[in-house]
């Protein structure tokens, strides 16, 4: 040790030799353990906390444990994008495990108000779901999961035996395996033989894109409501199968903090959650407090985080009859780290997570009846509140976009919400909802609260600060025409068939042509079909004006024209190919035999512009928003099968830009780009390239004279007298954490091709506002007065947004830049504004900028 201290003095680095933990460091004293159950160390070869468990090691241990213990069942409930298994362990007494299906079904009756009255709760187990490390680089949770599973399998105390008799414990040991593995690989590969606690050490500074997110760099702890990722889609089925009474969500936070457990900030609770949820959260909190007191750990509650946004793992259960509990442990980042509170060791963080896992289980056991009654009442109350609600149903119309309608319905159904056909047209003030494309969601359902949370628009809030977004109204995100049906009108409505789990209707080709085919641009998957055409070297044109080529069929601007002549393939092959694409992309193609239209432009018109296959790249890497970049990668690659090169920002100096015709820049710090690189990019744009900026990417383009736009400044609200103590709240209220605004589209502009009407909801979660262009032809998307649809915005910011432009296009030589003030691809569920982004990619080139200066 003396030698170590000498080194510290010499090199100003800190090296600490830490005693490796023994198993009894983690466990309550005098724990009797069954020695037939394998310890984590016996399988992993190291003690938990000595190094970070990889996901493969975790899987191996959990399967071994399930094999050796009659208290455990294990199930693979899904795969990640990188093909790692998602696991769920079911733990109870050996006897319960033998009758587990029966117990589960009995428990599920509490969530069914039709039968729950007759259920005797005295012999129904409480179900506790322990969920670990949804953020893969907050790994103390996933590492603790092995200890919790082992402890519950091996512990022979009377207390644990009694708990297992009356409880079912589910363990989701690693909610984000791809992220966990990315992180564990990093910290283990830089672990030194002697522990290094220096925060500057490479071990403590994982590189971009970091392990927080999944394969496509999404935060899975925002996806419980939008359900856009394979992990969440698989998990939600398990969640609804089990209807857990308590769900834990184990995270890490800044290294200089302590430990947090819910309740969070009371004024930021979601009004759709009943008060009793928070009362029970507070009761459960007493168990955590006692358990952490016993091991001497500092902690706090009630001052941070909230239960507002239902897309989080600790909030979604609150709107489903359970209690979600968020835990946040100060992060050691690697194996040991210097912090304001002294040395923070990885084993210590694991022990806290283990300790609150046990206190949760204990609380479930002792509050079992309260939790079961809460669950039962949650659903019976939902029906009676729905009865008093003046709104009786929500109706929506998907119009001609059958793919988007399908995705929307599938999403609502995943939350166990019933959707019905309408048996005849429904007339409202704003819209006539037609049979065939319109559907109705009556509120008189057990998921009443969630229906409200999904469909309602709120602009009135108790608090002006939100840990996450303040609005997520799903029909707006999907650009659905929708409305409320009040009692009087509802009486006249006859519900049609209840929709079964639906399938996406296949596209069709209505016949072979020797002349040309047409494909409309109004369906969500149209860009997928277009790219497939390009991939097969088919020349495609797009109409800039509407026309009628077939009796009774109007084709709007944006319709694709595939001439049969002049292609490299025979008419027979083109027919086969189009049939294949119609099926795989769910798009309809129309054969035409003459270029002479019944009305509007003809097929050989100068208003049929030739399109170019996009060859797109996006700059990624250090300093760049992995969220915004990941959204684009996921959208193009996974959802639309369009290739996108992810080019590290530090490589751009060395690459030949002529390989690409589209360059995407999302928010980020591009200051590392040298002057010569900037000249190279500028030359490439001047030669005809299209550069697309998103949010901060747009600001940067503007600073580099690669966009002619004026950023509108916001004023800080100074009207209220504030004190130092109010600073955080006051400044926080000036941010736009995420709200929804109505924009007006210019439907004749190529950027807006394919939209059914000139209203589009846009999501805004930043303070970038573009002054409207003085050129009237260059404002395809405008935020007019009274644009707020849902969410919180300060008065000053709201004034600023009036009359700003959402997209500005600039001419640069023969090329152009297309700048978005907001993120049209936010969290993968903004199906409505996605189209603007695709139009920028596919139609950017044909936007006529002759008069745009
Ligand atoms: Zn987290």
């Amino acid at each position: 040790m003396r030698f170590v201290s000498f080194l510290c003095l010499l090199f100003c680095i800190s090296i600490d030799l830490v005693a490796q933990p023994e198993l009894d460091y983690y466990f309550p004293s005098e724990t009797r353990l069954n020695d037939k159950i394998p310890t984590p160390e016996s399988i992993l070869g190291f003690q938990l906390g000595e190094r970070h468990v990889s996901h493969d090691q975790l899987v191996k241990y959990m399967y071994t444990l399930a094999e050796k213990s009659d208290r455990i069942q294990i199930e693979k409930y899904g795969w990640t994008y990188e093909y790692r298994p998602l696991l769920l362990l079911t733990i109870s007494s050996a006897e319960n495990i033998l009758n587990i299906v029966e117990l589960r079904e009995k428990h599920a009756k509490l969530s069914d108000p039709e039968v729950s009255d007759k259920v005797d709760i005295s012999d129904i187990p409480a179900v506790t779901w322990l969920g670990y490390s949804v953020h893969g680089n907050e790994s103390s949770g996933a590492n603790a999961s092995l200890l919790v599973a082992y402890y519950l399998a091996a512990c022979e105390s009377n207390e644990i035996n009694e708990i297992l008799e009356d409880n079912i414990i589910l363990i989701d040991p690693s909610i984000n395996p791809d992220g966990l593995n990315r992180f564990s690989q990093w910290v283990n590969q830089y672990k030194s033989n002697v522990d290094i606690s220096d925060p500057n050490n490479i071990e403590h500074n994982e590189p971009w894109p970091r392990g927080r997110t999944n394969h496509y760099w999404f935060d899975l702890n925002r996806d419980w409501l939008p359900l856009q990722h394979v992990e969440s889609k698989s998990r939600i089925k398990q969640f609804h199968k089990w209807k857990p009474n308590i769900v834990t969500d184990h995270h890490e936070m800044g290294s200089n903090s302590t430990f947090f457990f819910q309740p969070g900030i009371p004024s930021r609770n979601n009004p759709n959650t009943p008060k009793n949820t928070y009362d029970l959260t507070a009761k459960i909190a007493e168990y955590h407090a006692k358990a952490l007191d016993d091991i001497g750990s500092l902690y706090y509650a009630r001052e941070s985080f909230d239960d507002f946004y239902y897309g989080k793992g600790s909030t979604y259960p609150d709107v489903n009859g359970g209690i979600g509990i968020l835990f946040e442990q100060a992060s050691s980042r690697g194996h040991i780290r210097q912090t304001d509170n002294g040395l923070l060791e990885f084993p210590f963080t694991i022990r806290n997570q283990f300790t609150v896992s046990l206190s949760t289980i204990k609380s479930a056991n002792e509050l079992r009846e309260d939790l079961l009654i809460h669950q039962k009442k949650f659903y019976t109350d939902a029906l009676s509140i729905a009865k008093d609600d003046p709104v009786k149903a929500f109706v929506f119309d998907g119009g001609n976009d059958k793919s988007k309608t399908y995705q929307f319905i599938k999403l609502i159904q995943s939350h166990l919400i019933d959707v019905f056909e309408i048996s005849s047209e429904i007339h409202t003030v704003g819209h006539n909802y037609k049979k065939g494309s319109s559907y109705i969601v009556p509120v008189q359902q057990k998921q009443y609260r969630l229906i409200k949370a999904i469909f309602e628009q709120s602009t009135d809030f108790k608090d002006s600060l939100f840990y996450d977004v303040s609005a997520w109204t799903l029909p707006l995100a999907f650009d659905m025409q929708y409305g409320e049906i009040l009692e009087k009108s509802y009486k006249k409505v006859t519900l049609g068939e209840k929709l079964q789990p639906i399938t996406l209707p296949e596209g069709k080709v209505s016949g072979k042509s020797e002349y040309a085919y047409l494909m409309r641009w109004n369906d969500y998957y149209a860009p997928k079909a277009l790219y497939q055409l390009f991939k097969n070297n088919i020349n495609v044109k797009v109409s800039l004006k509407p026309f009628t080529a077939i009796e009774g069929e109007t084709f709007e601007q944006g319709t694709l024209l595939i001439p049969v002549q002049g292609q490299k393939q025979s008419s027979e092959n083109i027919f086969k190919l189009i049939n294949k694409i119609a099926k795989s992309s769910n798009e309809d193609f129309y054969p035409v035999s003459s270029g002479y239209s019944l009305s509007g432009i003809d097929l050989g018109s100068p208003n049929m512009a030739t399109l170019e296959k996009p060859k797109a790249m996006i700059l990624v890497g250090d300093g760049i928003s992995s969220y915004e970049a990941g959204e684009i990668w996921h959208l193009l690659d996974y959802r639309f099968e369009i290739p996108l090169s992810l080019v590290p920002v530090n490589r751009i100096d060395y690459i030949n830009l002529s390989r690409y015709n589209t360059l995407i820049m999302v928010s980020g710090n591009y200051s590392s780009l040298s002057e010569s690189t900037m000249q190279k990019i500028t030359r490439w744009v001047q030669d005809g390239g299209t550069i697309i900026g998103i949010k901060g990417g747009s600001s940067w383009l503007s600073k580099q004279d690669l966009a002619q736009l004026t950023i509108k400044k916001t004023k800080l609200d100074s009207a209220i007298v504030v004190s130092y103590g109010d600073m955080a709240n006051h400044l926080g209220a000036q941010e736009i954490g995420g709200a929804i605004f109505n924009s007006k589209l210019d439907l004749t502009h190529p950027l807006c091709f394919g939209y059914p009407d000139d209203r589009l909801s846009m999501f805004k979660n930043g303070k970038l506002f573009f002054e409207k262009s003085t050129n009237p032809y260059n404002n395809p998307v405008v935020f007019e007065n009274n644009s707020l649809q849902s969410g919180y915005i300060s008065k000053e910011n709201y004034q600023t947004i009036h009359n700003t432009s959402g997209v500005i296009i600039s001419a640069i030589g023969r090329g152009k830049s297309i700048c978005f003030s907001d993120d049209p691809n936010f969290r993968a569920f903004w199906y409505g504004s996605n189209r603007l982004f695709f139009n920028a990619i596919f139609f950017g080139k044909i936007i006529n900028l002759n008069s745009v200066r």
Side-chain angles (χ1 to χ4, degrees):
M1 283 299 275
R2 248 182 228 149
F3 176 66
V4 170
S5 307
F6 175 67
L7 268 184
C8 289
L9 284 173
L10 263 185
F11 303 112
C12 293
I13 57 165
S14 169
I15 303 171
D16 307 276
L17 288 176
V18 178
Q20 297 305 344
E22 296 296 330
L23 207 50
D24 59 10
Y25 165 74
Y26 295 109
F27 293 163
S29 51
E30 293 168 25
T31 301
R32 267 186 298 128
L33 297 163
N34 176 351
D35 57 15
K36 295 204 173 58
I37 303 297
T39 63
E41 190 179 11
S42 70
I43 304 298
L44 305 174
F46 60 89
Q47 185 58 265
L48 281 164
E50 269 178 50
R51 55 196 65 239
H52 285 246
V53 74
S54 71
H55 190 258
D56 316 281
Q57 290 168 330
L58 179 150
V59 170
K60 185 178 176 198
Y61 179 68
M62 293 305 195
Y63 272 102
T64 311
L65 196 60
E67 197 187 298
K68 301 283 182 195
S69 168
D70 55 7
R71 295 176 179 176
I72 300 187
Q73 254 185 15
I74 193 164
E75 185 184 348
K76 177 188 71 59
Y77 69 80
W79 295 101
T80 68
Y81 291 108
E82 294 174 18
Y83 279 89
R84 293 194 172 86
L86 293 157
L87 300 182
L88 193 69
L89 281 72
T90 307
I91 307 181
S92 197
S93 68
E95 196 189 332
N96 287 346
I97 288 292
L98 291 174
N99 303 312
I100 200 72
V101 175
E102 197 188 316
L103 285 171
R104 174 168 60 74
E105 287 171 353
K106 222 168 170 181
H107 178 265
K109 286 186 179 156
L110 290 175
S111 305
D112 182 355
E114 305 276 317
V115 297
S116 62
D117 252 8
K118 297 181 201 83
V119 179
D120 171 14
I121 59 166
S122 63
D123 63 344
I124 294 190
V127 177
T128 299
W129 173 302
L130 307 171
Y132 295 98
S133 300
V134 62
H135 297 144
N137 60 358
E138 300 171 7
S139 64
S140 53
N143 282 266
S145 76
L146 286 83
L147 282 175
V148 179
Y150 168 70
Y151 187 79
L152 294 175
C155 183
E156 294 188 322
S157 72
N158 290 340
E159 190 190 12
I160 289 296
N161 283 334
E162 277 165 27
I163 286 176
L164 294 178
E165 268 168 39
D166 291 340
N167 289 269
I168 296 170
I169 295 132
L170 305 167
I171 295 184
D172 189 345
S174 169
I175 303 176
N176 171 14
D178 295 345
L180 180 80
N181 228 60
R182 205 180 303 144
F183 181 66
S184 61
Q185 169 69 15
W186 179 263
V187 286
N188 288 333
Q189 87 190 48
Y190 288 110
K191 178 176 160 45
S192 300
N193 185 36
V194 284
D195 287 314
I196 309 288
S197 63
D198 178 3
N200 297 321
N201 187 32
I202 190 165
E203 173 193 339
H204 302 91
N205 293 282
E206 57 166 338
W208 197 95
R210 294 177 276 278
R212 175 183 176 91
T213 47
N214 75 349
H215 173 77
Y216 283 107
W217 314 334
F218 277 74
D219 186 338
L220 288 176
N221 197 35
R222 303 294 182 268
D223 198 40
W224 282 76
L225 194 69
L227 297 178
Q228 295 302 315
H229 291 282
V230 290
E231 296 91 346
S232 322
K233 285 178 194 179
S234 310
R235 182 167 307 108
I236 207 76
K237 291 183 192 145
Q238 295 298 319
F239 178 90
H240 284 299
K241 187 170 131 188
W242 280 103
K243 301 283 183 196
N245 298 97
I246 305 182
V247 176
T248 65
D249 190 17
H250 297 255
H251 290 250
E252 289 181 6
M253 56 180 168
S255 301
N256 294 322
S257 43
T258 59
F259 189 91
F260 170 87
F261 52 80
Q262 279 183 324
I265 295 173
S267 58
R268 298 184 202 162
N269 290 336
N270 193 304
N272 284 305
T273 305
K275 183 180 169 290
N276 197 42
T277 306
Y278 302 113
D279 295 345
L280 279 167
T281 306
K283 274 193 190 174
I284 295 167
E286 289 173 23
Y287 289 82
H288 309 317
K290 164 88 177 51
L292 292 170
D293 285 342
D294 287 349
I295 59 167
S297 288
L298 285 175
Y299 57 83
Y300 75 104
R302 294 169 293 214
E303 287 171 72
S304 317
F305 305 103
D306 64 41
D307 269 323
F308 189 77
Y309 171 50
Y310 286 130
K312 293 189 295 161
S314 58
T315 313
Y316 186 77
D318 297 346
V319 75
N320 283 282
I323 313 289
I325 310 279
L326 170 70
F327 295 119
E328 295 274 355
Q329 163 65 49
S331 179
S332 63
R333 305 312 303 140
H335 294 82
I336 182 166
R337 190 185 188 282
Q338 290 164 16
T339 74
D340 290 352
N341 298 318
L343 284 177
L344 181 58
E345 298 171 19
F346 186 43
F348 173 79
T349 67
I350 297 175
R351 185 171 69 155
N352 283 342
Q353 302 278 21
F354 171 80
T355 302
V356 295
S357 301
L358 277 202
S359 57
T360 302
I361 295 167
K362 204 170 163 183
S363 75
N365 185 47
E366 290 180 16
L367 302 171
R368 187 183 65 88
E369 288 204 1
D370 291 355
L371 290 163
L372 298 179
I373 291 168
H374 170 76
Q375 187 166 42
K376 183 169 148 179
K377 204 166 161 337
F378 178 93
Y379 288 106
T380 49
D381 282 0
L383 290 187
S384 55
I385 306 169
K387 220 174 203 169
D388 296 337
D389 194 325
V391 176
K392 291 299 161 211
F394 292 97
V395 61
F396 60 90
D397 186 351
N400 292 325
D401 192 340
K402 57 185 195 297
S403 303
K404 198 181 68 181
T405 309
Y406 158 79
Q407 293 293 356
F408 183 65
I409 293 172
K410 198 172 93 168
L411 169 54
I412 307 180
Q413 287 179 329
S414 305
H415 292 294
L416 304 193
I417 291 169
D418 292 338
V419 185
F420 295 81
E421 286 176 350
I422 55 171
S423 53
S424 58
E425 199 165 301
I426 298 177
H427 304 276
T428 66
V429 180
H431 190 75
N432 288 339
Y433 293 88
K434 291 199 184 67
K435 194 173 179 259
S437 63
S438 299
Y439 301 89
I440 189 162
V441 178
V443 301
Q444 188 72 25
Q445 302 190 31
K446 63 178 186 177
Q447 290 293 55
Y448 165 76
R449 290 186 175 91
L450 195 51
I451 293 170
K452 292 293 276 192
I454 283 174
F455 282 89
E456 73 187 353
Q457 300 178 20
S458 318
T459 50
D460 192 17
F461 299 95
K462 259 204 222 163
D463 204 318
S464 48
L465 276 177
F466 301 86
Y467 181 72
D468 198 75
V469 298
S470 65
W472 53 84
T473 317
L474 293 181
L476 296 182
F478 278 74
D479 189 30
M480 282 285 167
Q481 182 71 47
Y482 91 108
E484 299 172 346
I485 306 282
L486 302 180
E487 184 142 27
K488 206 173 141 200
S489 319
Y490 191 61
K491 279 184 183 147
K492 293 182 213 148
V493 172
T494 322
L495 293 185
E497 292 272 300
K498 179 174 140 182
L499 295 185
Q500 298 306 309
I502 58 167
T503 48
L504 184 53
E506 258 184 21
K508 55 184 188 308
V509 186
S510 26
K512 185 169 179 291
S513 176
E514 295 298 324
Y515 192 76
Y517 296 91
L518 298 171
M519 190 199 101
R520 291 196 172 96
W521 191 249
N522 52 15
D523 188 81
Y524 186 71
Y525 287 117
K528 189 176 173 184
L530 175 53
Y531 191 82
Q532 287 303 317
L533 290 166
F534 282 139
K535 200 177 157 189
N536 287 282
N537 298 314
I538 299 289
N539 298 324
V540 186
K541 284 171 175 276
V542 64
S543 71
L544 306 179
K545 306 252 173 190
F547 60 97
T548 305
I550 304 167
E551 187 74 52
E553 296 278 358
T554 304
F555 293 91
E556 301 295 339
Q557 54 269 36
T559 296
L560 302 184
L561 167 71
I562 302 113
V564 174
Q565 301 304 316
Q567 306 280 4
K568 292 192 186 95
Q569 306 196 37
S570 68
S571 65
E572 192 56 42
N573 281 349
I574 291 174
F575 181 56
K576 274 189 203 152
L577 176 69
I578 283 179
N579 270 288
K580 208 172 121 196
I581 294 174
K583 281 202 180 71
S584 65
S585 310
N586 316 92
E587 297 304 311
D588 294 337
F589 287 82
Y590 298 82
V592 277
S593 53
S594 166
Y596 196 57
S597 293
L598 302 172
S599 67
I601 59 168
D602 296 319
L603 300 195
S605 160
N607 278 306
M608 284 285 183
T610 301
L611 293 174
E612 196 177 285
K613 176 181 174 182
K615 287 176 268 176
M617 66 167 271
I618 183 168
L619 289 178
V620 298
D622 221 11
I624 289 173
S625 165
S626 57
Y627 292 126
E628 287 175 28
E631 284 159 5
I632 291 169
W633 181 26
H634 170 262
L635 183 76
L636 295 188
D637 178 53
Y638 188 76
R639 201 179 276 169
F640 284 81
E641 296 170 26
I642 297 170
L644 173 70
S645 293
L646 314 173
V647 177
V649 67
N650 57 12
R651 267 195 66 80
I652 192 159
D653 266 346
Y654 314 106
I655 62 173
N656 181 358
L657 281 178
S658 66
R659 292 168 69 102
Y660 314 97
N661 56 19
T662 309
L663 163 61
I664 304 166
M665 297 180 82
V666 296
S667 299
N669 181 353
Y670 296 100
S671 57
S672 63
L673 299 183
S674 66
E675 211 168 295
S676 65
T677 304
M678 281 319 306
Q679 285 166 359
K680 180 169 147 180
I681 293 176
T682 306
R683 271 198 309 274
W684 171 84
V685 183
Q686 284 167 341
D687 284 349
T690 301
I691 192 160
I692 301 174
I694 306 287
K695 292 179 70 179
S698 301
S699 318
W700 186 85
L701 289 172
S702 158
K703 276 191 211 118
Q704 303 300 318
D705 285 334
L706 283 169
Q708 288 108 41
L709 55 87
T710 311
I711 293 170
K712 197 170 171 184
K713 294 266 176 298
T714 50
K715 276 187 280 177
L716 191 68
D717 157 27
S718 55
I720 320 157
V721 179
V722 287
S723 60
Y724 179 82
D726 289 332
M727 181 165 61
N729 280 344
H730 181 236
L731 294 178
Q734 314 300 312
E735 296 304 318
I736 304 178
I740 303 171
F741 299 88
N742 199 354
S743 68
K744 186 167 191 296
L745 304 181
D746 175 355
L747 293 178
T748 64
H749 196 292
L751 204 81
C752 303
F753 281 179
Y755 280 104
D757 57 65
D758 66 358
R759 291 288 158 183
L760 176 68
S761 299
M762 297 277 287
F763 181 78
K764 201 170 192 61
N765 66 341
K767 290 201 288 184
L768 183 61
F769 306 99
F770 298 159
E771 294 279 8
K772 245 172 102 172
S773 169
T774 48
N775 181 325
Y777 314 115
N778 192 15
N779 292 305
V781 183
V782 173
F783 298 104
E784 296 181 325
N785 288 349
N786 305 318
S787 57
L788 178 66
Q789 290 181 295
S790 196
Y792 170 80
I793 185 168
S794 74
K795 224 168 66 195
E796 286 66 25
N797 285 332
Y798 197 22
Q799 277 163 8
T800 313
I801 196 174
H802 289 168
N803 227 19
T804 55
S805 229
V807 185
I808 294 280
I809 300 131
S810 311
I812 297 140
R814 287 189 290 116
K816 68 200 56 150
S817 67
I818 303 174
C819 289
F820 286 80
S821 62
D822 303 291
D823 176 1
N825 310 313
F826 186 66
R827 290 183 186 167
F829 72 96
W830 279 79
Y831 279 64
S833 46
N834 277 166
R835 183 185 297 281
L836 289 179
F837 182 72
F838 276 116
N839 287 353
I841 288 182
F842 284 103
F843 304 148
K845 184 111 186 148
I846 59 151
I847 297 172
N848 180 357
L849 288 164
N850 282 342
S851 53
V852 178
R853 288 284 176 268

